[in-house]
Amino acid sequence: MAHTDIGEYIGWQTDITGTPCPPTVSGECVYLGTRGNELHAIDMATGNKRWTFEADHTVYPPTVAGDSLYAGSFDDKLYSFGRESGRVQWVTDVGTTVFPPAANRSTVFAGTYDGRLLCVDSTDGAVQWEFHAEEPMCVKFQPIIQGEDVCAGSYDGQFYLIDVENGDEKRSLHLGGKIKQMAQRGSDIYIGADNGTIQAFSGESQETMWSELSDSAIKSLEPTNRQLLATTKNKIAALSASAGSVTWEEKLETPINSITACDTHVCVTTSEGELFVFDLDGTVLLETTLPAEAETIQSTNSQLFIDGADGTLEAVQIAEMLDIGNERKASERVSGLYTDDTYPPAADGHYICLSPDADSDTYRSKLKSLTQSSDKKVLIVDGNNRSIPTKELKTEAKRGCKDVTVVDRRREILEEELRDLSCKAAVHSRKHIDGTRSL
């Protein structure tokens, strides 16, 4: 696996005090609470701070609703800020630690260390009702608002469905262990516990969709547009969001520190400072090393935000890194045969990848070797190489192979060739349609 120096792709750095909590990305800003008692609004493009608020203790990840920003703190307070100005709109002291809230335009919901779920008026911070868990154990994770209900998980092992109007319990599920994570995808809610249980709950039918049991405690749950990513100590598993079946999994050598997912990729850091970037099908796109003790804390399609571990928040241009990584991989595999240990295998064929900078003699030599020894189907992926006409390649290849397809870099030709392709294979070239892998 080739390594890429992350330092080349740091877009900006900004100084912060204390270890950052996972940030909230909204609009053009990164909103970041820290264990150094600060809350920052940071411009995503430049890294400049738009405003900073100093609390009396750790500020947990905030949530955005309309023109307001809400944050809980270890200083026993729930705060409301003007999103653009950072002006404090109100403060509610609840007498114990307040964890990350959820909010809509009229109401804020927040769990507390002493096992309560609070419903607070978003205009003035007045407490409307309190729900108490069965045991006085913390409701640590951000609640999930689902229509007329709000969902909360507690360290007492219970998942609660609560009426947003009056705080009455509608139903509860017992997972048999402390609830460690909750995540939402559409109207469906996923709950993970420290006994390895993952349960999917339908917000529409209010019934359990599926339940799976891992071999160790669930550390995190990350939904993507079609699956649920779950991590344990050193393993990542991608589960079908609708059925719970495992679609792919990866076991790492060292314990996982953090995972964050976006529309196109998944970023994972380990306790040894490694960063792995996977696509949504589990293929490793990139492996590199972070600065000492740094962690990935959030990712968008284009940027990766990391704790620099030296009092900085850093924005890495992850999209650029992946493009460079793909180009490097194409160059390293210059028109070589893709085998099972170097690339996802074809169903019944071989690959030739044409990188932009390789010479025509190298290709012809490889092609001749392949066509003389194989009666299998061949997929030639044109990685933007214009030194050899694709028509000529196709003609040469047909002399020794029973079925040859050349895929050109241009979208319209690619789509046409894919429709006609008889051998199933995977396509991976930086010039191809984003996300196209299975033919």
Side-chain angles (χ1 to χ4, degrees):
M1 171 69 64
H3 283 64
T4 301
D5 183 4
I6 201 170
E8 300 176 40
Y9 301 99
I10 294 177
W12 51 256
Q13 294 178 322
T14 190
D15 294 334
I16 57 175
T17 302
T19 304
C21 297
T24 300
V25 178
S26 181
E28 299 175 349
C29 270
V30 180
Y31 298 97
L32 182 74
T34 76
R35 292 177 174 84
N37 313 342
E38 295 178 342
L39 176 64
H40 303 284
I42 302 170
D43 188 290
M44 278 181 58
T46 65
N48 295 332
K49 294 173 186 172
R50 296 190 177 184
W51 54 261
T52 296
F53 171 79
E54 293 187 10
D56 295 326
H57 217 298
T58 297
V59 182
Y60 292 112
T63 190
V64 174
D67 296 328
S68 297
L69 185 78
Y70 305 96
S73 173
F74 199 79
D75 65 10
D76 300 351
K77 297 180 181 69
L78 178 63
Y79 294 91
S80 172
F81 303 91
R83 178 178 174 180
E84 295 296 327
S85 66
R87 181 180 64 85
V88 177
Q89 298 175 145
W90 51 257
V91 182
T92 298
D93 192 326
V94 302
T96 188
T97 300
V98 186
F99 295 111
N104 53 32
R105 292 187 177 273
S106 61
T107 313
V108 184
F109 299 95
T112 67
Y113 183 78
D114 60 2
R116 291 176 290 160
L117 178 69
L118 306 177
C119 174
V120 176
D121 190 304
S122 65
T123 59
D124 58 10
V127 177
Q128 304 298 300
W129 51 256
E130 296 183 2
F131 171 82
H132 293 257
E134 285 186 6
E135 298 181 28
M137 302 181 73
C138 66
V139 180
K140 185 176 181 180
F141 304 101
Q142 184 181 46
I144 294 173
I145 302 171
Q146 179 60 50
E148 298 178 352
D149 306 314
V150 59
C151 307
S154 169
Y155 270 17
D156 65 6
Q158 297 283 121
F159 168 76
Y160 297 98
L161 190 68
I162 303 161
D163 192 304
V164 297
E165 293 296 326
N166 53 34
D168 289 343
E169 180 184 325
K170 289 187 173 182
R171 68 167 300 179
S172 64
L173 301 173
H174 187 66
L175 273 71
K178 289 181 182 179
I179 291 181
K180 303 293 288 186
Q181 288 291 329
M182 293 200 311
Q184 182 179 26
R185 178 180 175 272
S187 62
D188 299 329
I189 299 157
Y190 304 91
I191 315 113
D194 66 358
N195 65 350
T197 299
I198 304 175
Q199 197 155 120
F201 181 80
S202 169
E204 293 183 351
S205 67
Q206 299 188 359
E207 297 292 337
T208 298
M209 296 162 39
W210 52 262
S211 181
E212 292 292 331
L213 184 63
S214 174
D215 55 5
S216 56
I218 303 301
K219 289 186 64 174
S220 62
L221 297 175
E222 281 281 333
T224 70
N225 54 13
R226 66 176 185 270
Q227 58 193 3
L228 178 72
L229 300 170
T231 65
T232 55
K233 182 179 179 180
N234 64 337
K235 188 167 72 174
I236 313 155
L239 309 175
S240 164
S242 59
S245 55
V246 176
T247 57
W248 62 266
E249 60 182 19
E250 184 78 20
K251 188 172 183 179
L252 303 181
E253 297 279 330
T254 51
I256 294 170
N257 268 357
S258 62
I259 181 171
T260 178
C262 62
D263 294 337
T264 57
H265 56 267
V266 182
C267 298
V268 178
T269 61
T270 74
S271 60
E272 296 296 322
E274 300 160 303
L275 168 65
F276 295 91
V277 183
F278 300 86
D279 69 12
L280 298 186
D281 292 320
T283 300
V284 178
L285 301 177
L286 184 72
E287 178 184 345
T288 188
T289 303
L290 294 173
E293 300 179 11
E295 291 187 26
T296 299
I297 52 178
Q298 186 59 278
S299 181
T300 67
N301 290 346
S302 59
Q303 289 178 294
L304 176 67
F305 301 104
I306 64 172
D307 164 20
D310 56 358
T312 63
L313 178 74
E314 300 176 351
V316 178
Q317 306 304 111
I318 188 66
E320 291 184 17
M321 284 189 71
L322 294 179
D323 281 346
I324 294 298
N326 290 342
E327 181 178 357
R328 181 173 296 162
K329 288 175 185 177
S331 178
E332 288 169 352
R333 296 169 178 171
V334 174
S335 83
L337 303 185
Y338 287 106
T339 60
D340 291 6
D341 61 343
T342 59
Y343 200 75
D348 56 357
H350 288 297
Y351 303 86
I352 296 179
C353 178
L354 312 188
S355 61
D357 52 356
D359 63 274
S360 59
D361 288 341
T362 301
Y363 284 127
R364 287 189 170 89
S365 174
K366 292 284 186 180
L367 184 61
K368 182 178 180 181
S369 173
L370 171 66
T371 57
Q372 288 178 343
S373 62
S374 174
D375 62 352
K376 293 187 175 182
K377 302 172 185 177
V378 176
L379 171 63
I380 299 175
V381 180
D382 186 345
N384 196 26
N385 186 296
R386 303 265 67 81
S387 66
I388 312 173
T390 54
K391 183 177 180 181
E392 180 181 343
L393 274 171
K394 192 168 184 177
T395 300
E396 288 190 25
K398 278 189 173 181
R399 294 174 183 171
C401 297
K402 66 177 183 180
D403 190 0
V404 176
T405 299
V406 177
V407 178
D408 193 86
R409 68 185 177 96
R410 289 168 292 173
R411 170 181 285 267
E412 63 273 12
I413 296 180
L414 174 60
E415 291 176 336
E416 180 182 350
E417 294 284 355
L418 295 186
R419 283 194 296 269
D420 297 334
L421 190 59
S422 59
C423 68
K424 289 193 173 182
V427 172
H428 185 70
S429 174
R430 64 190 180 92
K431 294 298 182 181
H432 291 164
I433 297 174
D434 289 343
T436 301
R437 290 189 67 251
S438 296
L439 307 187

